[in-house]
Amino acid sequence: MTGIVTVGLLESTTGLLAEALVTAVARDHPGFELRLMTAYSGHLQQWLDDGDLDLSLLYNLDNTPSPNTRPLVRERLWVVTPVSAGLRSDRPVPFAEAADRPSSCRPPVTRCVP
């Protein structure tokens, strides 16, 4: 097969995935010209729905007309707080409760709730 394949990557995944993806496609599919576009999920979903992307990594797909979706990763999110906040790693915490506690936020992070 040959042709142009345009892939959307989330800004937060580019550093982790882009080089490996380019290397694997060049090795396994030398007839493909790979084009990468990076953006936040909402933009990528719009570009996918508009036909500007052939495939994309997205998150939070509650409402999408995209016909073929497959979850790749389910991740557990952690809030990092001082011990005095009283949170425990063995007990899930509703986001509203975590948001009311002091937190630590140091790079590299993609989301920070002060």
Side-chain angles (χ1 to χ4, degrees), residues 10 15 21 31 34 38 46 49 51 64 66 78 85-86 101-103:
L10 297 162
L21 179 61
L34 183 64
T38 64
Q46 184 64 52
D49 294 340
T64 180
S66 302
W78 294 85
R101 311 285 177 120
S103 66

Side-chain angles (χ1 to χ4, degrees), residues 11-13 40 75 77 105-113:
E11 293 281 346
S12 60
T13 66
Y40 294 107
E75 61 183 336
L77 300 177
C105 195
R106 297 200 169 111
V109 296
T110 57
R111 301 285 185 268
C112 183
V113 178

Side-chain angles (χ1 to χ4, degrees), residues 60-83:
N60 198 20
L61 289 177
D62 294 332
N63 300 319
T64 180
S66 302
N68 298 308
T69 61
R70 179 182 310 179
L72 297 177
V73 176
R74 298 216 187 267
E75 61 183 336
R76 294 172 52 184
L77 300 177
W78 294 85
V79 61
V80 179
T81 66
V83 173

